Amino acid sequence: MGNFKLLEYLYTLSISPIYINVFGAFFFALIITLISIPKIIRISYKKQLMDVPGERSSHVNKVPTLGGVALFFGIVVSTSIFATDLGVNYSFFLSAITILFFIGLMDDLLVVAPDKKLYGQIVSTIFIIFGSGIMINSFSGLFGVYQIPYLLGVILTTFVFIVLINAYNLIDGIDGLATGVGIVISSCFVYIFYRIFDYGIGILAISTIAVLLGFGRYNLSRKFKIFMGDTGSMVIGFILTFMAIRFLYISENSNLGLKTAPVLLLFIFVIPIVDTLYVFTIRIFRGRSPFSADKNHLHHQFLKLGFNHIKTSIILVIINIFFIIVGYYFRNIEINKLFLIFIVLSISFVLSLRYIVIFKNNKKISL
């Protein structure tokens, strides 16, 4: 009764329900995250549910790894209240992220074999494809390809989900990077989906920003630090990819007039994509498995240059924003030309960074 009176009062003030949902979703998700994380940290210390530093670790103390629990519940509760059409128009979405949540939680607590995590990602993706009908069905003329056969579209969509989920997981190696990149990408989708009046996905993007802001408050803390773990990185990575595939689907099946969506997404996801390609290329050239662990990620290069975690994260987030601005500015040119711009900028960035790191190391040796 009280909620009805509040909504009735807001209606008399001529406040649009859209704004109520936007601010409600943001503050609900933020508050849930801020309240739950301290409790998770206390339980983690009490039960010793911690990440123990290893050879590849960028931290020296034990740190709780269950931040993803707060991220998951903040998003689920917020979207369930303020984005009810997610459950109607996007069947199995909550089921899909719940599967990934439990697989990630088991991995953070017990360690799950990589193949089992892969199976979970495939099942979640299939839920989205066949439950919601959202999939990649066109390249919009990229490489001269337009419509894609249905079966190939299913395979390609599954592949993109797996790649982007794990690419997002790979950048979660230093404090603040996955959080910052996730906020930037989600902000792009807030703009996109509110421009095309897809308010349900817009609320999902806003909720994602809110939980990442709340999580970042503790991830960057020295005294009460927590990691998002595989629980958080898989759930957030899946949500970001889901919004990307939805954007592709809408751009091809509506009158948006935007014909460069596939390449625009490369600009939006530039840091996860370039980082993954970069480390895989180095490992293959060195005769190692592309899935073997090392310290060749983009953030490791900046750490080698003497930057700390926060400065490295800020630099990479700014680079991500720069790519987004470039992609948006040239969004209306021919799609293959836009792709060429992306390739040139990406290679220039990677080679410049690599040259600077090698130059600094050689200088140290000569001294």
Side-chain angles (χ1 to χ4, degrees), residues 35 54 59 138 154 158 170 177 238 242 276 287 315 352:
I35 290 176
H59 60 287
S138 173
V154 171
T158 304
L170 286 175
L177 181 55
F238 182 86
F242 169 75
T276 301
I315 291 170
S352 297

Side-chain angles (χ1 to χ4, degrees), residues 338-367:
L338 185 60
F339 180 72
L340 181 60
I341 292 174
F342 175 79
I343 294 297
V344 171
L345 285 177
S346 299
I347 293 177
S348 298
F349 162 53
V350 169
L351 291 181
S352 297
L353 178 60
R354 186 74 175 171
Y355 173 79
I356 294 170
V357 171
I358 293 173
F359 177 78
K360 183 175 181 180
N361 288 338
N362 290 339
K363 192 174 180 180
K364 280 184 177 180
I365 294 172
S366 63
L367 292 175

Side-chain angles (χ1 to χ4, degrees), residues 7 16 38 114 152 166-167 169 177 208 218 274 319 355:
L7 291 173
S16 170
L152 182 59
N166 290 287
N169 180 56
L177 181 55
T208 304
Y218 293 97
V274 170
I319 291 171
Y355 173 79

Side-chain angles (χ1 to χ4, degrees), residues 168-315:
Y168 185 76
N169 180 56
L170 286 175
I171 66 170
D172 185 30
I174 59 172
D175 299 336
L177 181 55
T179 303
V181 170
I183 289 172
V184 169
I185 294 174
S186 298
S187 298
C188 290
F189 288 130
V190 170
Y191 175 77
I192 288 169
F193 287 111
Y194 273 88
R195 284 288 301 272
I196 60 180
F197 309 108
D198 193 342
Y199 297 124
I201 306 296
I203 291 295
L204 176 62
I206 286 170
S207 299
T208 304
I209 292 172
V211 297
L212 288 173
L213 285 172
F215 168 76
R217 153 74 176 82
Y218 293 97
N219 181 232
L220 297 176
S221 170
R222 292 184 179 180
K223 196 172 182 181
F224 300 106
K225 183 180 292 297
I226 190 170
F227 296 153
M228 66 171 63
D230 271 17
T231 310
S233 63
M234 283 211 295
V235 168
I236 299 297
F238 182 86
I239 290 173
L240 296 178
T241 308
F242 169 75
M243 292 190 287
I245 301 298
R246 175 61 179 165
F247 171 50
L248 277 180
Y249 184 80
I250 289 178
S251 66
E252 187 60 33
N253 295 278
S254 68
N255 296 320
L256 282 177
L258 182 63
K259 299 302 181 182
T260 56
V263 179
L264 275 178
L265 287 174
L266 294 179
F267 283 90
I268 292 173
F269 282 83
V270 60
I271 294 301
I273 290 173
V274 170
D275 180 69
T276 301
L277 291 175
Y278 177 68
V279 294
F280 274 30
T281 301
I282 290 178
R283 291 166 187 172
I284 291 171
F285 270 109
R286 292 180 177 177
R288 299 171 54 192
S289 165
F291 303 102
S292 61
D294 57 30
K295 285 192 172 185
N296 286 310
H297 290 277
L298 295 177
H299 54 265
H300 288 132
Q301 307 310 309
F302 282 99
L303 293 176
K304 290 175 183 177
L305 293 174
F307 295 101
N308 60 25
H309 284 209
I310 294 178
K311 289 180 179 179
T312 296
S313 296
I314 290 173
I315 291 170

